[in-house]
Amino acid sequence: MGRRAALAALVGAGFAGHAAGVGATASVAAAAAAGPVIAGTAATATGAGPRPPASLLGDEIRRLPTSRKALALTFNAAWDDTGVDTVLAELRRRKMPATFFPTGEFAEAEPAAVRAMADAGHGLGNHSHSHPYFDDLSTAERADEVRAADAAIRKASGTEPLPFFRFPYSSTTPDSIADVNALGYAAIEFSADTNGYLGPEGGMSVDRAVERAVDAFAPGAIIQMHVGSRAGGAVLDAEALPLIIDAALTDGYEVIDLRQFLEAAAGIR
């Protein structure tokens, strides 16, 4: 079944049928990767533990380096935590991995939510501390944002964040990517954002969020969603998640953990 046909069938069937007919799932990686050692240069940022391979450095990553029918689910957390419980429950039910990118301010305001993400076995990336445009910052200011977020996420989660950074607003420049790489982070962006965070007030619906995700399905696709809504109220991505997973599995995709790409020696083909 093609992705458009799968989408139509799944959305038409409604949420009641999500669990039926979906037998294949992907498991979360066995162990969380160690987070980065915050430092000023690439040479001093390569401490013990897995690090991003060279293939993930030097540019923003919008598709993972794999030819397999595999994709990754990611969630930003910068506003409210309204959808966290629903998202985590669905991932747990499906035994599916995801990577969460909280801001430092979110971790400080909603530590229980960040702890729940970590306790569920999911990786935690870094989405800056205060969600500024990084192209407006100096190298030192960028480092301060990354360090502050790292400290807040560590404190809230009780775990070490992954060496993955996602730029606020997905606004990247060669200089800002180089600065983030120098701190030991790969710049993990996305193939498509569902735009569910805009909510009904922003002209979005569950169906449209699912369609945006499905249209981006390709080997190595990175799907970006959010655990909250910019305008408050309904969290469309939490409602869309079961349909997105169903469509991926129906279309023959495996949902994989970004942490697999920290194992540079093993690689993924």
Side-chain angles (χ1 to χ4, degrees), residues 7 54 59 64 180 189 212 236:
L7 172 62
D59 202 354
L64 298 167
V180 166
E189 294 304 310
R212 287 180 61 85
L236 299 184

Side-chain angles (χ1 to χ4, degrees), residues 76-83 106 131 133 168-169 193-204 224-237:
N76 291 357
W79 304 301
D80 64 89
D81 66 342
T82 304
F106 180 90
H131 209 271
Y133 281 97
Y169 312 104
D193 187 327
T194 62
N195 281 356
Y197 72 93
L198 294 173
E201 299 83 358
M204 286 301 297
Q224 175 173 282
M225 292 170 276
H226 291 75
V227 298
S229 173
R230 189 172 65 180
V235 181
L236 299 184
D237 285 334

